[in-house]
Amino acid sequence: METRKLRNIGIIAHVDAGKTTTSERILYYTGENYKLGEVHDGTAVMDFDPQEQARGITINSAATTVFWQGTQINLIDTPGHIDFNIEVNRSLRVLDGAVVVFDGVAGVEPQTETNWRLADKYRVPRIAFVNKLDRTGADFLRVVGMIADRLGVTPLVLQLPIGSEHDFHGVIDLIAMRALLWPAGNEAAPYSTADIPAELVADAQSWRTRLLETAVEQDDTLLAAYLDGQEIAVDALQAAIRKGTINGAFVPVVAGAAFKNKGVEPMLDAAVAYLPAPGEVAVASEHDIAVDPTGPLAALAFKVVQDDHGALTFVRLYRGQLKPGDTVLNATSGKRERISRLYEMHADRKRERDVAVAGDIVAVVGLKATVTGDTLTDPAHALVLERIDAPEPVIDVAIEPKTQADQQHLSRGLQALLAEDPSLRLRQDADAGQTVLSGMGELQLEVTLEKLRSRFKVEVSVGRPQVAYRETITRSAQVQHLHRKQSGGPGQYAELTLLVEPQERGAGIAFESRISGGAIPREYIPAIEAGVRNAAKVGVLAGHQTVDIKVSLLDGSYHERDSSQQAFELAASVALKQALREAGPVLLEPLMAVEVITPLDHVGDVIGDLNRRRGLVRQQEMRGNASVIDAHVPLAEMFGYIGQLRALTTGRASFTMQFDHYAVAPQHAAALATA
């Protein structure tokens, strides 16, 4: 397959911006579906999970394959809710481009910004689709301004809307300088072309000039021709837009209303024309990988789904080919795996494939020891691609099986769900004798527990959600510790000196050995680091994980006969605990970025309530006839917030919340958390 005829793209956005509706229209217009599926009535093809249909939201990223104008598009529809952001994270890691959907009324929303930063991290070129322009309060140019201001990019306007709100019925194509009009009463029909309405010609010419001035900068020859007053050919202009999109110079912006079937076909045209084919953007790897179907295999496993028949593993091929019966090396774990079957996915339907080649995204059956982020390679040409980082959880619930029979199924169910979702964590609280499940939010944990009940037939008792606090230190401390044990047989001996120092927020745990002159043999250093990291999992204040510290091994001594890896690991664990106690330990609490949208007459009540919750209001602005309040609020104060917000505003306000950062908890809050 020629890679230029293939696009791997994702649909990403804030919750409720219209991603899945847009995906359903893509399926319809490309001929993959002959009937329009709708999110609101549970018939959306891409939302096939029963929980998605019941809740009316996307929970799992869904993949499908469609064809448009002779180009194959591997499409991934991702969730918009922050609790399921791992789905966006791992999808963007393997995609070559993305369509970012913006609500034409709300504009750039918090989760849009989060997803945009993820796309920046993975260097994914994007186009922007301003959706819902048929809604009251929709304003295309205001959204374009928000894209520039909030996301710090240059929006390249390719279309202007014709009509506004309920009268939105077409767009002006600024490249071909023509009007695209959708017929009234039969909006699923193809658009027709016409001259630009006379009253919009001046605006169109002004915006086309901006478009030309921005795009021609990508090509010196084109720029010289433009400055000489020459007419720029459409194909040359499109080539310049494609180049600028791929290198991140600007983001093309198109307009539409997917629910009313307006703007989807031109958006597909833009995706094919301007988003890259496999190989046109760098692969996230330390190695130089060319997209070569004849080269040795290099692929990334980015998602695992468990069902009654075992694991279905989604992989992106960057080089080489994959066939049923192939033996591959999991270069991350060093284990060999055998491919049983290959599938091209169409949401919940599978189409068997005989071969997958570089650039493809397929599902594989037969991998037993491969998890999200693992690299699959030719056994003779091992390399490791950049892994997928899962976010740290901020909320815990204690769970226990209701019956002895449930106990037997609980472990199997939890392990399967953790393999599917790397942002979930599981630990045993030895002091309380509880199994603790951790995640990104209440909704994610609620969905996970429902999966336990429905898929694995496990009934569990669930404790109240608890905040996942962290611990850190406020000053440096140095500790010397000697571990010596003699009891008849071989003894244990390990002596070491540790220095702990605070680091900036989000730095995690850093370990450094400054040993010189063989004071401690090199083979014992990994055991010392393991002891440090294991001890940091249970802090000295309230048993929460210790983060944002640097631990340096300064000195030590060993015994030729009695020293061992176990002795040094034990010594490091005790020494770290002692050092943490002397380093001014403090409790960290997660602060959430909260956005509240409320009618103007309730602004004072909402802000007062946020202040009572220890919130800090950072910004307030108008969005249509509503006020948008942006605040940082401790997660501990946000449980049950939706009920209070509805009571304060007679049900007229709404809010979104996502983790922002950890901060030192004030003394009274820390006292409550450690009580």
Side-chain angles (χ1 to χ4, degrees):
M1 178 185 295
E2 297 179 44
T3 56
R4 67 175 181 274
K5 293 294 185 182
L6 173 64
R7 301 289 183 273
N8 293 313
I9 64 174
I11 309 290
I12 62 174
H14 186 88
V15 66
D16 224 18
K19 296 173 307 305
T20 300
T21 299
T22 301
S23 298
E24 294 296 320
R25 270 48 184 181
I26 291 173
L27 295 179
Y28 177 79
Y29 283 110
T30 57
E32 181 64 24
N33 280 357
Y34 297 100
K35 178 184 175 186
L36 288 170
E38 304 293 3
V39 174
H40 61 271
D41 60 15
T43 60
V45 172
M46 302 297 271
D47 283 352
F48 55 83
D49 185 282
Q51 287 208 65
E52 294 178 317
Q53 294 171 354
R55 297 173 187 270
I57 61 170
T58 301
I59 294 171
N60 309 294
S61 57
T64 194
T65 300
V66 298
F67 290 85
W68 183 252
Q69 312 291 20
T71 297
Q72 177 181 331
I73 300 175
N74 293 329
L75 181 75
I76 298 182
D77 175 33
T78 65
H81 199 289
I82 185 61
D83 285 18
F84 309 108
N85 193 242
I86 182 63
E87 295 285 351
V88 185
N89 191 335
R90 57 185 171 188
S91 296
L92 284 172
R93 170 62 184 82
V94 298
L95 292 169
D96 299 313
V99 176
V100 186
V101 181
F102 295 84
D103 185 317
V105 179
V108 178
E109 299 175 271
Q111 187 60 14
T112 316
E113 294 187 60
T114 300
N115 292 339
W116 197 273
R117 288 194 294 270
L118 278 174
D120 285 341
K121 173 183 175 181
Y122 293 124
R123 302 178 293 281
V124 177
R126 282 140 273 176
I127 65 173
F129 177 53
V130 181
N131 190 28
K132 299 189 177 184
L133 289 175
D134 59 322
R135 298 286 184 91
T136 301
D139 187 334
F140 175 77
L141 293 181
R142 184 176 65 84
V143 177
V144 170
M146 293 176 75
I147 291 172
D149 294 341
R150 293 198 178 182
L151 302 178
V153 296
T154 301
L156 187 74
V157 175
L158 303 186
Q159 299 172 357
L160 293 175
I162 300 175
S164 61
E165 299 182 344
H166 67 277
D167 187 42
F168 171 66
H169 61 281
V171 298
I172 297 172
D173 176 357
L174 295 174
I175 294 176
M177 287 300 279
R178 60 181 181 168
L180 312 180
L181 305 174
W182 282 269
N186 185 19
E187 293 163 331
Y191 60 81
S192 60
T193 60
D195 292 335
I196 298 170
E199 68 275 14
L200 298 176
V201 169
D203 266 356
Q205 289 174 339
S206 172
W207 280 97
R208 179 174 165 82
T209 299
R210 295 193 200 185
L211 166 64
L212 285 167
E213 289 174 349
T214 305
V216 297
E217 291 181 355
Q218 298 300 310
D219 185 303
D220 290 342
T221 304
L222 214 58
L223 177 59
Y226 177 72
L227 293 175
D228 284 345
Q230 298 178 29
E231 185 67 28
I232 304 299
V234 167
D235 58 348
L237 178 57
Q238 289 180 320
I241 295 172
R242 178 179 179 80
K243 181 180 178 182
T245 304
I246 291 173
N247 67 28
F250 44 70
V251 177
V253 184
V254 294
F259 183 63
K260 295 294 180 66
N261 311 305
K262 299 173 182 176
V264 177
E265 308 108 293
M267 181 268 286
L268 278 168
D269 291 339
V272 169
Y274 307 125
L275 291 178
E280 291 189 286
V281 289
V283 177
S285 168
E286 297 175 2
H287 309 270
D288 184 20
I289 298 179
V291 178
D292 177 11
T294 64
L297 175 69
L300 186 77
F302 68 95
K303 181 172 179 174
V304 179
V305 177
Q306 302 283 342
D307 62 21
D308 295 338
H309 306 293
L312 189 69
T313 307
F314 288 76
V315 299
R316 161 72 194 264
L317 275 72
Y318 290 98
R319 188 178 65 195
Q321 299 186 6
L322 203 54
K323 297 177 181 177
D326 284 353
T327 296
V328 300
L329 174 69
N330 183 326
T332 309
S333 67
K335 296 180 180 178
R336 294 195 176 213
E337 299 257 46
R338 188 175 182 276
I339 307 298
S340 297
R341 289 188 298 281
L342 288 177
Y343 291 111
E344 178 183 286
M345 297 302 297
H346 296 268
D348 59 339
R349 295 180 290 114
K350 307 183 187 81
R351 188 175 296 163
E352 196 149 359
R353 292 270 296 267
D354 295 328
V355 62
V357 300
D360 278 343
I361 293 176
V362 293
V364 174
V365 174
L367 304 180
K368 294 180 171 59
T370 296
V371 298
T372 295
D374 284 357
T375 301
L376 303 176
T377 69
D378 181 319
H381 299 84
L383 59 87
V384 177
L385 299 170
E386 181 183 316
R387 288 191 62 84
I388 298 169
D389 295 324
E392 284 296 314
V394 296
I395 189 169
D396 301 337
V397 290
I399 58 175
E400 60 181 36
K402 288 188 175 180
T403 68
Q404 190 63 39
D406 287 328
Q407 175 71 57
Q408 298 170 7
H409 299 294
L410 178 62
S411 177
R412 182 175 67 89
L414 285 173
Q415 292 308 315
L417 293 175
L418 264 65
E420 289 186 1
D421 187 348
S423 66
L424 291 170
R425 302 282 196 282
L426 193 67
R427 63 182 171 86
Q428 300 297 323
D429 187 331
D431 294 335
Q434 293 177 319
T435 298
V436 178
L437 182 66
S438 306
M440 299 306 299
E442 290 182 86
L443 180 59
Q444 181 197 25
L445 294 178
E446 187 181 313
V447 166
T448 301
L449 294 172
E450 180 56 37
K451 287 179 181 177
L452 273 177
R453 297 184 187 101
S454 60
R455 283 172 49 185
F456 299 97
K457 313 304 178 190
V458 178
E459 292 294 333
V460 293
S461 298
V462 183
R464 290 184 60 233
Q466 303 290 325
V467 175
Y469 291 100
R470 298 284 184 266
E471 297 180 22
T472 193
I473 57 175
T474 57
R475 58 178 181 266
S476 301
Q478 183 173 316
V479 166
Q480 180 183 6
H481 178 71
L482 172 63
H483 174 74
R484 179 186 286 158
K485 185 177 180 183
Q486 200 74 40
S487 55
Q492 290 187 17
Y493 181 95
E495 183 183 21
L496 46 77
T497 301
L498 292 183
L499 170 66
V500 296
E501 302 168 280
Q503 292 202 102
E504 62 183 16
R505 290 294 158 266
I509 299 176
F511 177 82
E512 176 188 24
S513 173
R514 300 186 196 170
I515 292 295
S516 60
I520 298 176
R522 186 177 301 171
E523 62 264 29
Y524 295 140
I525 304 300
I528 294 171
E529 181 175 358
V532 163
R533 294 190 180 276
N534 286 331
K537 292 177 181 177
V538 182
V540 296
L541 271 182
H544 300 288
Q545 182 181 346
T546 300
V547 295
D548 304 338
I549 60 172
K550 180 180 180 181
V551 183
S552 301
L553 175 63
L554 303 180
D555 199 3
S557 65
Y558 73 104
H559 189 280
E560 286 191 5
R561 187 174 61 253
D562 292 343
S563 288
S564 65
Q565 291 187 350
Q566 181 187 25
F568 273 103
E569 185 171 341
L570 286 170
S573 178
V574 174
L576 181 72
K577 295 285 189 185
Q578 184 180 339
L580 293 177
R581 292 188 190 96
E582 297 178 10
V586 291
L587 195 72
L588 297 175
E589 62 178 353
L591 291 191
M592 313 302 285
V594 178
E595 183 184 85
V596 183
I597 304 172
T598 179
L600 286 175
D601 48 351
H602 295 293
V603 168
D605 292 334
V606 170
I607 290 178
D609 184 60
L610 290 173
N611 288 336
R612 284 190 292 275
R613 295 172 185 270
R614 297 192 284 122
L616 174 65
V617 175
R618 302 169 64 238
Q619 187 177 338
Q620 185 179 341
E621 64 181 16
M622 294 300 297
R623 186 178 294 167
N625 60 356
S627 179
V628 181
I629 301 164
D630 174 20
H632 279 162
V633 190
L635 175 60
E637 307 292 342
M638 290 300 292
F639 293 115
Y641 180 62
I642 185 61
Q644 179 66 15
L645 182 64
R646 286 171 178 163
L648 284 172
T649 63
T650 61
R652 298 170 64 199
S654 63
F655 85 102
T656 57
M657 175 176 75
Q658 62 185 37
F659 170 72
D660 194 84
H661 66 281
Y662 273 93
V664 176
Q667 194 167 1
H668 67 279
L672 288 173
T674 57

